[in-house]
Amino acid sequence: MAKHETPNPTQSEGVRTLSPEDAWERARTMVVGRLAFSSGERLELFPINYLVDRGTVLFRTAPGTKLAASMGRLKVAFEVDGYEADVREAWSVVIHGVLEPVLNTEEIVDAVALPLFPWQSGEKAFFVRIVPSEITGRQFLVADPGHWASQFMGGPRASGE
Amino acid sequence: MAKHETPNPTQSEGVRTLSPEDAWERARTMVVGRLAFSSGERLELFPINYLVDRGTVLFRTAPGTKLAASMGRLKVAFEVDGYEADVREAWSVVIHGVLEPVLNTEEIVDAVALPLFPWQSGEKAFFVRIVPSEITGRQFLVADPGHWASQFMGGPRASGE
């Protein structure tokens, strides 16, 4: 069960394991992450706009696959990553947990007041939480910062030669 | 089987479905995507550095979860997204397929010559392909470009008020 926790925080190849506290701290700095779950035989994978709230990952959604998954309390994985240009290190945080719809009126009122903007414009009337069972994080040196930076600029890949 | 294809490319809420050709074209412009698969009971989700090659998604890896998954020809989902600042639109492309290790010597020689830099520094001696069975893509207006941009700068979320 604890096989994903490394007692030694320093691993080979310039990879460091982040503490759960550090992993949460990083998750709080971002606004878009990727949510994965199995819906029947199919693996679903979406970018979502999220907010860390009450020890969970909160997001808004319209009726559809994600809302249905939350009603079924599906197991999910959620990943957030970022790049720290000053140290040329990237990090990746993965949260495992279950989806849960926010159905309590008071909680919905609180959630509406949060600075949570859906990435995609349009009506997203429902709130869903990822209730975490595990959080893991890694930080690692980036092999080619130029290539990573180009990703974050949304620019095209440089041609091969 | 075709339920994820919309005959009308214009959907509600400012979402457009991308053609498979357009989706591949966008996937080619990026270098980091997120790979999801189920390993036993566990959902795995990783950022990977990739290259579109021979109609597949090629990446490098070290011995571990991803290489083992490729040996087992596991079903995967792979997602890439980007933001086009000039039109304030974001897009997301999802490829479904199976992992396959690159074991053919000639193919390995060709792959080594490609401009494929592992995101994470360190030895990544093995090549793995995602052999696609389906590609889907969406483009959508971004509700709050400021928030999306801050993600891509790697900067912290602005405080609530």
Side-chain angles (χ1 to χ4, degrees), chain A residues 60-126:
Chain A
R60 293 171 72 156
T61 192
T65 315
K66 294 188 279 290
L67 188 64
S70 78
M71 296 298 183
R73 266 73 173 174
L74 247 62
K75 278 191 194 178
V76 298
F78 176 69
E79 194 264 355
V80 184
D81 50 60
Y83 174 58
E84 299 179 354
D86 52 339
V87 288
R88 294 189 173 190
E89 285 191 331
W91 53 267
S92 171
V93 165
V94 176
I95 293 171
H96 283 87
V98 292
L99 289 187
E100 204 167 87
V102 178
L103 301 173
N104 176 287
T105 309
E106 270 182 57
E107 267 193 72
I108 293 171
V109 170
D110 286 351
V112 166
L114 291 171
L116 179 62
F117 306 94
W119 187 27
Q120 181 180 319
S121 62
E123 194 65 41
K124 299 259 178 187
F126 298 91

Short mmCIF file of all heavy atoms in Angstrom, two decimals, chain A residues 60-126:
data_model
loop_
_atom_site.label_atom_id
_atom_site.label_comp_id
_atom_site.label_asym_id
_atom_site.label_seq_id
_atom_site.Cartn_x
_atom_site.Cartn_y
_atom_site.Cartn_z
N ARG A 60 -15.97 22.68 -11.74
CA ARG A 60 -17.33 22.88 -12.23
C ARG A 60 -17.52 22.07 -13.49
O ARG A 60 -16.60 21.89 -14.28
CB ARG A 60 -17.56 24.36 -12.54
CG ARG A 60 -17.54 25.21 -11.31
CD ARG A 60 -17.56 26.68 -11.66
NE ARG A 60 -18.87 27.08 -12.16
CZ ARG A 60 -19.33 28.33 -12.10
NH1 ARG A 60 -18.59 29.30 -11.56
NH2 ARG A 60 -20.51 28.63 -12.58
N THR A 61 -18.73 21.60 -13.69
CA THR A 61 -19.00 20.85 -14.91
C THR A 61 -20.46 20.99 -15.33
O THR A 61 -21.31 21.37 -14.54
CB THR A 61 -18.58 19.37 -14.75
OG1 THR A 61 -18.58 18.73 -16.03
CG2 THR A 61 -19.51 18.61 -13.82
N ALA A 62 -20.71 20.68 -16.58
CA ALA A 62 -22.07 20.62 -17.12
C ALA A 62 -22.53 19.16 -17.07
O ALA A 62 -21.71 18.27 -16.85
CB ALA A 62 -22.05 21.14 -18.56
N PRO A 63 -23.82 18.90 -17.25
CA PRO A 63 -24.26 17.50 -17.32
C PRO A 63 -23.46 16.77 -18.40
O PRO A 63 -23.27 17.31 -19.48
CB PRO A 63 -25.74 17.62 -17.70
CG PRO A 63 -26.15 18.95 -17.19
CD PRO A 63 -24.94 19.84 -17.38
N GLY A 64 -22.99 15.57 -18.10
CA GLY A 64 -22.19 14.82 -19.07
C GLY A 64 -21.39 13.73 -18.37
O GLY A 64 -21.73 13.31 -17.26
N THR A 65 -20.31 13.33 -19.02
CA THR A 65 -19.50 12.21 -18.54
C THR A 65 -18.97 12.43 -17.12
O THR A 65 -19.02 11.53 -16.28
CB THR A 65 -18.30 12.01 -19.49
OG1 THR A 65 -18.77 12.06 -20.84
CG2 THR A 65 -17.64 10.67 -19.25
N LYS A 66 -18.45 13.64 -16.87
CA LYS A 66 -17.82 13.89 -15.56
C LYS A 66 -18.86 13.94 -14.44
O LYS A 66 -18.63 13.42 -13.36
CB LYS A 66 -17.02 15.20 -15.61
CG LYS A 66 -15.82 15.12 -16.54
CD LYS A 66 -14.91 16.34 -16.45
CE LYS A 66 -15.39 17.52 -17.24
NZ LYS A 66 -15.31 17.39 -18.70
N LEU A 67 -20.01 14.55 -14.73
CA LEU A 67 -21.06 14.61 -13.70
C LEU A 67 -21.59 13.20 -13.42
O LEU A 67 -21.77 12.81 -12.25
CB LEU A 67 -22.19 15.54 -14.15
CG LEU A 67 -23.24 15.83 -13.06
CD1 LEU A 67 -22.61 16.60 -11.89
CD2 LEU A 67 -24.41 16.61 -13.63
N ALA A 68 -21.82 12.43 -14.48
CA ALA A 68 -22.28 11.04 -14.31
C ALA A 68 -21.26 10.24 -13.50
O ALA A 68 -21.63 9.47 -12.61
CB ALA A 68 -22.51 10.40 -15.68
N ALA A 69 -19.99 10.46 -13.78
CA ALA A 69 -18.92 9.74 -13.05
C ALA A 69 -18.95 10.10 -11.57
O ALA A 69 -18.70 9.26 -10.70
CB ALA A 69 -17.57 10.06 -13.67
N SER A 70 -19.26 11.37 -11.28
CA SER A 70 -19.30 11.80 -9.88
C SER A 70 -20.47 11.16 -9.15
O SER A 70 -20.36 10.81 -7.97
CB SER A 70 -19.33 13.32 -9.78
OG SER A 70 -20.63 13.83 -10.05
N MET A 71 -21.59 11.01 -9.84
CA MET A 71 -22.76 10.36 -9.23
C MET A 71 -22.42 8.91 -8.89
O MET A 71 -22.92 8.37 -7.90
CB MET A 71 -23.95 10.40 -10.20
CG MET A 71 -24.45 11.80 -10.53
SD MET A 71 -25.04 12.71 -9.07
CE MET A 71 -25.62 14.23 -9.85
N GLY A 72 -21.60 8.29 -9.70
CA GLY A 72 -21.19 6.91 -9.45
C GLY A 72 -19.98 6.78 -8.56
O GLY A 72 -19.46 5.68 -8.37
N ARG A 73 -19.53 7.90 -7.97
CA ARG A 73 -18.34 7.90 -7.07
C ARG A 73 -17.19 7.13 -7.69
O ARG A 73 -16.55 6.28 -7.04
CB ARG A 73 -18.70 7.28 -5.71
CG ARG A 73 -19.12 8.29 -4.65
CD ARG A 73 -20.48 8.85 -4.87
NE ARG A 73 -20.92 9.69 -3.75
CZ ARG A 73 -22.05 10.39 -3.76
NH1 ARG A 73 -22.83 10.40 -4.82
NH2 ARG A 73 -22.37 11.12 -2.71
N LEU A 74 -16.90 7.42 -8.95
CA LEU A 74 -15.84 6.71 -9.66
C LEU A 74 -14.45 7.05 -9.11
O LEU A 74 -14.20 8.16 -8.68
CB LEU A 74 -15.89 7.08 -11.15
CG LEU A 74 -16.28 5.95 -12.09
CD1 LEU A 74 -17.67 5.45 -11.78
CD2 LEU A 74 -16.18 6.40 -13.54
N LYS A 75 -13.59 6.05 -9.18
CA LYS A 75 -12.17 6.26 -8.85
C LYS A 75 -11.52 7.07 -9.96
O LYS A 75 -11.73 6.77 -11.15
CB LYS A 75 -11.44 4.93 -8.76
CG LYS A 75 -11.60 4.21 -7.46
CD LYS A 75 -10.60 3.06 -7.44
CE LYS A 75 -10.89 2.08 -6.34
NZ LYS A 75 -9.95 0.94 -6.38
N VAL A 76 -10.72 8.04 -9.59
CA VAL A 76 -10.07 8.88 -10.60
C VAL A 76 -8.60 9.10 -10.24
O VAL A 76 -8.16 8.88 -9.11
CB VAL A 76 -10.75 10.27 -10.71
CG1 VAL A 76 -12.19 10.14 -11.15
CG2 VAL A 76 -10.63 11.05 -9.41
N ALA A 77 -7.86 9.53 -11.25
CA ALA A 77 -6.51 10.08 -11.02
C ALA A 77 -6.52 11.49 -11.60
O ALA A 77 -7.17 11.75 -12.61
CB ALA A 77 -5.46 9.22 -11.70
N PHE A 78 -5.82 12.38 -10.93
CA PHE A 78 -5.77 13.77 -11.34
C PHE A 78 -4.32 14.23 -11.29
O PHE A 78 -3.63 13.98 -10.30
CB PHE A 78 -6.63 14.60 -10.38
CG PHE A 78 -6.60 16.08 -10.63
CD1 PHE A 78 -7.17 16.61 -11.78
CD2 PHE A 78 -5.99 16.95 -9.73
CE1 PHE A 78 -7.14 17.99 -12.02
CE2 PHE A 78 -5.96 18.32 -9.95
CZ PHE A 78 -6.54 18.83 -11.10
N GLU A 79 -3.87 14.85 -12.37
CA GLU A 79 -2.45 15.23 -12.45
C GLU A 79 -2.30 16.72 -12.73
O GLU A 79 -3.03 17.28 -13.55
CB GLU A 79 -1.76 14.41 -13.54
CG GLU A 79 -0.25 14.47 -13.50
CD GLU A 79 0.38 15.50 -14.43
OE1 GLU A 79 -0.34 16.14 -15.22
OE2 GLU A 79 1.61 15.70 -14.33
N VAL A 80 -1.36 17.33 -12.05
CA VAL A 80 -1.01 18.74 -12.27
C VAL A 80 0.50 18.79 -12.43
O VAL A 80 1.22 18.11 -11.69
CB VAL A 80 -1.40 19.61 -11.06
CG1 VAL A 80 -1.13 21.08 -11.34
CG2 VAL A 80 -2.85 19.41 -10.68
N ASP A 81 0.98 19.57 -13.39
CA ASP A 81 2.43 19.74 -13.47
C ASP A 81 2.78 21.18 -13.75
O ASP A 81 1.95 21.98 -14.17
CB ASP A 81 3.05 18.78 -14.50
CG ASP A 81 2.36 18.81 -15.85
OD1 ASP A 81 2.32 19.89 -16.46
OD2 ASP A 81 1.85 17.76 -16.28
N GLY A 82 4.03 21.48 -13.49
CA GLY A 82 4.50 22.84 -13.71
C GLY A 82 6.01 22.86 -13.90
O GLY A 82 6.68 21.84 -13.71
N TYR A 83 6.48 24.02 -14.27
CA TYR A 83 7.91 24.15 -14.58
C TYR A 83 8.45 25.37 -13.85
O TYR A 83 7.85 26.45 -13.89
CB TYR A 83 8.08 24.31 -16.10
CG TYR A 83 9.48 24.59 -16.53
CD1 TYR A 83 10.51 23.71 -16.21
CD2 TYR A 83 9.81 25.76 -17.22
CE1 TYR A 83 11.81 23.96 -16.58
CE2 TYR A 83 11.12 26.02 -17.60
CZ TYR A 83 12.11 25.12 -17.28
OH TYR A 83 13.41 25.39 -17.65
N GLU A 84 9.57 25.18 -13.17
CA GLU A 84 10.20 26.29 -12.46
C GLU A 84 11.45 26.69 -13.22
O GLU A 84 12.50 26.05 -13.12
CB GLU A 84 10.51 25.88 -11.02
CG GLU A 84 9.22 25.51 -10.29
CD GLU A 84 9.43 25.07 -8.85
OE1 GLU A 84 10.59 24.92 -8.41
OE2 GLU A 84 8.41 24.87 -8.18
N ALA A 85 11.29 27.78 -13.98
CA ALA A 85 12.35 28.18 -14.91
C ALA A 85 13.67 28.49 -14.19
O ALA A 85 14.74 28.18 -14.70
CB ALA A 85 11.89 29.40 -15.70
N ASP A 86 13.58 29.06 -12.99
CA ASP A 86 14.81 29.50 -12.30
C ASP A 86 15.72 28.34 -11.93
O ASP A 86 16.94 28.49 -11.92
CB ASP A 86 14.46 30.36 -11.07
CG ASP A 86 13.46 29.67 -10.15
OD1 ASP A 86 12.74 28.76 -10.61
OD2 ASP A 86 13.38 30.05 -8.97
N VAL A 87 15.13 27.19 -11.62
CA VAL A 87 15.94 26.03 -11.26
C VAL A 87 15.92 24.95 -12.35
O VAL A 87 16.50 23.88 -12.19
CB VAL A 87 15.50 25.40 -9.91
CG1 VAL A 87 15.91 26.32 -8.76
CG2 VAL A 87 14.00 25.13 -9.88
N ARG A 88 15.24 25.27 -13.46
CA ARG A 88 15.13 24.31 -14.58
C ARG A 88 14.60 22.96 -14.13
O ARG A 88 15.06 21.91 -14.57
CB ARG A 88 16.48 24.13 -15.28
CG ARG A 88 16.90 25.41 -15.95
CD ARG A 88 18.10 25.19 -16.82
NE ARG A 88 18.40 26.39 -17.58
CZ ARG A 88 19.28 26.46 -18.57
NH1 ARG A 88 19.94 25.39 -18.94
NH2 ARG A 88 19.49 27.58 -19.21
N GLU A 89 13.64 23.01 -13.23
CA GLU A 89 13.03 21.78 -12.75
C GLU A 89 11.54 21.80 -13.05
O GLU A 89 10.91 22.84 -12.99
CB GLU A 89 13.25 21.62 -11.24
CG GLU A 89 14.67 21.20 -10.91
CD GLU A 89 14.81 20.79 -9.45
OE1 GLU A 89 14.06 21.31 -8.60
OE2 GLU A 89 15.68 19.96 -9.17
N ALA A 90 11.04 20.65 -13.37
CA ALA A 90 9.60 20.48 -13.53
C ALA A 90 9.10 19.62 -12.38
O ALA A 90 9.87 18.93 -11.72
CB ALA A 90 9.28 19.83 -14.87
N TRP A 91 7.81 19.69 -12.14
CA TRP A 91 7.23 18.83 -11.10
C TRP A 91 5.91 18.29 -11.61
O TRP A 91 5.29 18.86 -12.52
CB TRP A 91 7.05 19.59 -9.79
CG TRP A 91 6.29 20.86 -9.90
CD1 TRP A 91 6.80 22.11 -10.09
CD2 TRP A 91 4.85 21.03 -9.86
NE1 TRP A 91 5.79 23.03 -10.17
CE2 TRP A 91 4.58 22.40 -10.03
CE3 TRP A 91 3.79 20.14 -9.70
CZ2 TRP A 91 3.29 22.91 -10.04
CZ3 TRP A 91 2.50 20.65 -9.71
CH2 TRP A 91 2.25 22.02 -9.88
N SER A 92 5.51 17.19 -11.03
CA SER A 92 4.24 16.57 -11.37
C SER A 92 3.62 16.02 -10.09
O SER A 92 4.29 15.33 -9.32
CB SER A 92 4.48 15.44 -12.38
OG SER A 92 3.30 14.67 -12.56
N VAL A 93 2.38 16.37 -9.86
CA VAL A 93 1.65 15.91 -8.67
C VAL A 93 0.46 15.07 -9.15
O VAL A 93 -0.25 15.49 -10.06
CB VAL A 93 1.18 17.10 -7.81
CG1 VAL A 93 0.15 16.68 -6.79
CG2 VAL A 93 2.38 17.77 -7.14
N VAL A 94 0.28 13.89 -8.56
CA VAL A 94 -0.85 13.04 -8.91
C VAL A 94 -1.69 12.77 -7.67
O VAL A 94 -1.16 12.38 -6.63
CB VAL A 94 -0.39 11.70 -9.54
CG1 VAL A 94 -1.59 10.79 -9.82
CG2 VAL A 94 0.38 11.97 -10.84
N ILE A 95 -2.98 13.01 -7.79
CA ILE A 95 -3.92 12.75 -6.71
C ILE A 95 -4.81 11.59 -7.14
O ILE A 95 -5.39 11.61 -8.22
CB ILE A 95 -4.77 14.01 -6.41
CG1 ILE A 95 -3.86 15.11 -5.83
CG2 ILE A 95 -5.93 13.69 -5.46
CD1 ILE A 95 -4.53 16.47 -5.69
N HIS A 96 -4.89 10.57 -6.29
CA HIS A 96 -5.86 9.49 -6.51
C HIS A 96 -7.01 9.69 -5.55
O HIS A 96 -6.80 10.10 -4.40
CB HIS A 96 -5.21 8.12 -6.26
CG HIS A 96 -4.34 7.67 -7.40
ND1 HIS A 96 -3.02 8.01 -7.50
CD2 HIS A 96 -4.63 6.93 -8.51
CE1 HIS A 96 -2.52 7.50 -8.63
NE2 HIS A 96 -3.47 6.84 -9.25
N GLY A 97 -8.20 9.39 -5.98
CA GLY A 97 -9.36 9.56 -5.11
C GLY A 97 -10.63 9.17 -5.81
O GLY A 97 -10.60 8.48 -6.83
N VAL A 98 -11.75 9.63 -5.28
CA VAL A 98 -13.05 9.37 -5.90
C VAL A 98 -13.77 10.68 -6.19
O VAL A 98 -13.59 11.67 -5.46
CB VAL A 98 -13.97 8.48 -5.02
CG1 VAL A 98 -13.42 7.07 -4.90
CG2 VAL A 98 -14.20 9.10 -3.65
N LEU A 99 -14.56 10.66 -7.24
CA LEU A 99 -15.39 11.83 -7.56
C LEU A 99 -16.62 11.83 -6.67
O LEU A 99 -17.15 10.77 -6.32
CB LEU A 99 -15.84 11.78 -9.02
CG LEU A 99 -14.79 12.03 -10.08
CD1 LEU A 99 -15.47 12.11 -11.45
CD2 LEU A 99 -14.01 13.31 -9.82
N GLU A 100 -17.08 13.02 -6.36
CA GLU A 100 -18.27 13.18 -5.51
C GLU A 100 -18.97 14.47 -5.93
O GLU A 100 -18.35 15.52 -5.97
CB GLU A 100 -17.80 13.29 -4.06
CG GLU A 100 -18.83 12.90 -3.05
CD GLU A 100 -18.18 12.72 -1.68
OE1 GLU A 100 -18.06 13.73 -0.97
OE2 GLU A 100 -17.80 11.58 -1.34
N PRO A 101 -20.27 14.39 -6.24
CA PRO A 101 -20.97 15.63 -6.59
C PRO A 101 -21.19 16.47 -5.34
O PRO A 101 -21.35 15.94 -4.25
CB PRO A 101 -22.30 15.13 -7.15
CG PRO A 101 -22.54 13.81 -6.46
CD PRO A 101 -21.17 13.21 -6.24
N VAL A 102 -21.18 17.79 -5.50
CA VAL A 102 -21.52 18.68 -4.38
C VAL A 102 -23.03 18.89 -4.43
O VAL A 102 -23.54 19.54 -5.34
CB VAL A 102 -20.76 20.03 -4.49
CG1 VAL A 102 -21.15 20.96 -3.35
CG2 VAL A 102 -19.26 19.79 -4.50
N LEU A 103 -23.74 18.32 -3.47
CA LEU A 103 -25.21 18.36 -3.49
C LEU A 103 -25.78 19.18 -2.34
O LEU A 103 -26.94 19.59 -2.37
CB LEU A 103 -25.76 16.92 -3.42
CG LEU A 103 -25.31 16.00 -4.57
CD1 LEU A 103 -25.76 14.57 -4.31
CD2 LEU A 103 -25.83 16.50 -5.91
N ASN A 104 -24.95 19.42 -1.33
CA ASN A 104 -25.39 20.17 -0.16
C ASN A 104 -25.52 21.67 -0.52
O ASN A 104 -24.58 22.27 -1.02
CB ASN A 104 -24.35 19.95 0.94
CG ASN A 104 -24.63 20.75 2.19
OD1 ASN A 104 -24.44 21.97 2.20
ND2 ASN A 104 -25.10 20.09 3.22
N THR A 105 -26.68 22.25 -0.23
CA THR A 105 -26.95 23.63 -0.64
C THR A 105 -25.94 24.63 -0.07
O THR A 105 -25.43 25.49 -0.78
CB THR A 105 -28.38 24.06 -0.20
OG1 THR A 105 -29.28 23.07 -0.65
CG2 THR A 105 -28.76 25.40 -0.81
N GLU A 106 -25.61 24.47 1.20
CA GLU A 106 -24.64 25.39 1.82
C GLU A 106 -23.28 25.31 1.13
O GLU A 106 -22.62 26.31 0.89
CB GLU A 106 -24.47 25.06 3.30
CG GLU A 106 -25.44 25.82 4.18
CD GLU A 106 -25.20 25.50 5.65
OE1 GLU A 106 -24.06 25.69 6.11
OE2 GLU A 106 -26.14 25.02 6.30
N GLU A 107 -22.88 24.08 0.83
CA GLU A 107 -21.59 23.89 0.15
C GLU A 107 -21.61 24.51 -1.24
O GLU A 107 -20.61 25.05 -1.70
CB GLU A 107 -21.28 22.39 0.00
CG GLU A 107 -20.45 21.83 1.11
CD GLU A 107 -19.93 20.44 0.74
OE1 GLU A 107 -19.03 20.35 -0.11
OE2 GLU A 107 -20.45 19.44 1.28
N ILE A 108 -22.76 24.40 -1.92
CA ILE A 108 -22.86 24.98 -3.26
C ILE A 108 -22.76 26.50 -3.18
O ILE A 108 -22.05 27.13 -3.96
CB ILE A 108 -24.18 24.54 -3.95
CG1 ILE A 108 -24.14 23.03 -4.23
CG2 ILE A 108 -24.41 25.33 -5.24
CD1 ILE A 108 -25.46 22.43 -4.71
N VAL A 109 -23.43 27.08 -2.18
CA VAL A 109 -23.37 28.53 -2.00
C VAL A 109 -21.92 28.96 -1.75
O VAL A 109 -21.43 29.93 -2.34
CB VAL A 109 -24.29 28.98 -0.83
CG1 VAL A 109 -24.05 30.43 -0.47
CG2 VAL A 109 -25.75 28.76 -1.22
N ASP A 110 -21.22 28.22 -0.90
CA ASP A 110 -19.81 28.53 -0.65
C ASP A 110 -18.98 28.40 -1.92
O ASP A 110 -18.12 29.22 -2.22
CB ASP A 110 -19.24 27.58 0.41
CG ASP A 110 -19.75 27.92 1.81
OD1 ASP A 110 -20.40 28.98 1.96
OD2 ASP A 110 -19.51 27.12 2.73
N ALA A 111 -19.26 27.33 -2.68
CA ALA A 111 -18.46 27.05 -3.87
C ALA A 111 -18.63 28.13 -4.93
O ALA A 111 -17.68 28.52 -5.61
CB ALA A 111 -18.82 25.68 -4.44
N VAL A 112 -19.85 28.64 -5.06
CA VAL A 112 -20.13 29.68 -6.06
C VAL A 112 -19.28 30.92 -5.78
O VAL A 112 -18.86 31.63 -6.71
CB VAL A 112 -21.64 30.03 -6.08
CG1 VAL A 112 -21.90 31.32 -6.84
CG2 VAL A 112 -22.44 28.89 -6.69
N ALA A 113 -18.98 31.17 -4.50
CA ALA A 113 -18.21 32.36 -4.13
C ALA A 113 -16.71 32.20 -4.36
O ALA A 113 -15.95 33.16 -4.29
CB ALA A 113 -18.48 32.69 -2.66
N LEU A 114 -16.26 31.00 -4.66
CA LEU A 114 -14.82 30.75 -4.84
C LEU A 114 -14.34 31.26 -6.20
O LEU A 114 -15.10 31.31 -7.16
CB LEU A 114 -14.53 29.25 -4.73
CG LEU A 114 -14.70 28.63 -3.34
CD1 LEU A 114 -14.60 27.12 -3.44
CD2 LEU A 114 -13.66 29.17 -2.37
N PRO A 115 -13.04 31.62 -6.28
CA PRO A 115 -12.51 32.09 -7.56
C PRO A 115 -12.22 30.92 -8.50
O PRO A 115 -11.08 30.67 -8.87
CB PRO A 115 -11.22 32.83 -7.16
CG PRO A 115 -10.78 32.14 -5.91
CD PRO A 115 -12.04 31.69 -5.21
N LEU A 116 -13.28 30.23 -8.87
CA LEU A 116 -13.13 29.04 -9.73
C LEU A 116 -13.79 29.33 -11.06
O LEU A 116 -15.02 29.41 -11.16
CB LEU A 116 -13.79 27.83 -9.06
CG LEU A 116 -13.76 26.52 -9.84
CD1 LEU A 116 -12.34 26.05 -10.05
CD2 LEU A 116 -14.56 25.45 -9.08
N PHE A 117 -12.97 29.50 -12.08
CA PHE A 117 -13.48 29.85 -13.39
C PHE A 117 -13.35 28.64 -14.30
O PHE A 117 -12.24 28.14 -14.48
CB PHE A 117 -12.70 31.03 -13.97
CG PHE A 117 -12.69 32.20 -13.04
CD1 PHE A 117 -11.64 32.38 -12.16
CD2 PHE A 117 -13.74 33.09 -13.02
CE1 PHE A 117 -11.63 33.45 -11.27
CE2 PHE A 117 -13.74 34.17 -12.15
CZ PHE A 117 -12.69 34.35 -11.27
N PRO A 118 -14.45 28.16 -14.88
CA PRO A 118 -14.29 27.02 -15.77
C PRO A 118 -13.38 27.42 -16.93
O PRO A 118 -13.45 28.54 -17.42
CB PRO A 118 -15.70 26.72 -16.27
CG PRO A 118 -16.60 27.72 -15.68
CD PRO A 118 -15.81 28.68 -14.84
N TRP A 119 -12.52 26.49 -17.32
CA TRP A 119 -11.58 26.76 -18.39
C TRP A 119 -12.35 27.07 -19.67
O TRP A 119 -12.03 27.97 -20.43
CB TRP A 119 -10.72 25.51 -18.58
CG TRP A 119 -9.60 25.67 -19.54
CD1 TRP A 119 -8.93 26.82 -19.86
CD2 TRP A 119 -8.98 24.63 -20.29
NE1 TRP A 119 -7.94 26.55 -20.76
CE2 TRP A 119 -7.95 25.23 -21.04
CE3 TRP A 119 -9.20 23.26 -20.40
CZ2 TRP A 119 -7.14 24.48 -21.89
CZ3 TRP A 119 -8.38 22.55 -21.24
CH2 TRP A 119 -7.37 23.15 -21.97
N GLN A 120 -13.39 26.27 -19.86
CA GLN A 120 -14.22 26.40 -21.05
C GLN A 120 -15.38 27.31 -20.71
O GLN A 120 -16.02 27.15 -19.67
CB GLN A 120 -14.69 24.99 -21.39
CG GLN A 120 -15.56 24.86 -22.60
CD GLN A 120 -15.93 23.39 -22.77
OE1 GLN A 120 -15.11 22.49 -22.58
NE2 GLN A 120 -17.17 23.13 -23.09
N SER A 121 -15.66 28.28 -21.56
CA SER A 121 -16.79 29.16 -21.29
C SER A 121 -18.09 28.39 -21.52
O SER A 121 -18.12 27.35 -22.15
CB SER A 121 -16.72 30.39 -22.19
OG SER A 121 -16.80 30.03 -23.53
N GLY A 122 -19.18 28.91 -21.01
CA GLY A 122 -20.46 28.22 -21.12
C GLY A 122 -20.94 27.77 -19.76
O GLY A 122 -20.20 27.80 -18.78
N GLU A 123 -22.16 27.35 -19.70
CA GLU A 123 -22.82 27.01 -18.44
C GLU A 123 -22.19 25.75 -17.83
O GLU A 123 -22.10 24.72 -18.48
CB GLU A 123 -24.31 26.80 -18.69
CG GLU A 123 -25.17 26.77 -17.44
CD GLU A 123 -25.17 28.11 -16.70
OE1 GLU A 123 -25.23 29.17 -17.37
OE2 GLU A 123 -25.11 28.10 -15.47
N LYS A 124 -21.74 25.87 -16.62
CA LYS A 124 -21.17 24.73 -15.89
C LYS A 124 -21.78 24.79 -14.51
O LYS A 124 -21.14 25.23 -13.55
CB LYS A 124 -19.65 24.87 -15.79
CG LYS A 124 -18.95 24.91 -17.13
CD LYS A 124 -18.36 23.57 -17.42
CE LYS A 124 -17.69 23.58 -18.78
NZ LYS A 124 -17.27 22.23 -19.14
N ALA A 125 -23.01 24.35 -14.39
CA ALA A 125 -23.79 24.64 -13.20
C ALA A 125 -23.45 23.75 -12.00
O ALA A 125 -23.79 24.07 -10.88
CB ALA A 125 -25.28 24.51 -13.53
N PHE A 126 -22.76 22.63 -12.25
CA PHE A 126 -22.56 21.66 -11.17
C PHE A 126 -21.13 21.69 -10.63
O PHE A 126 -20.17 21.92 -11.38
CB PHE A 126 -22.89 20.26 -11.67
CG PHE A 126 -24.33 20.14 -12.09
CD1 PHE A 126 -24.71 20.38 -13.40
CD2 PHE A 126 -25.32 19.84 -11.16
CE1 PHE A 126 -26.04 20.30 -13.79
CE2 PHE A 126 -26.65 19.75 -11.54
CZ PHE A 126 -27.01 19.99 -12.86
#
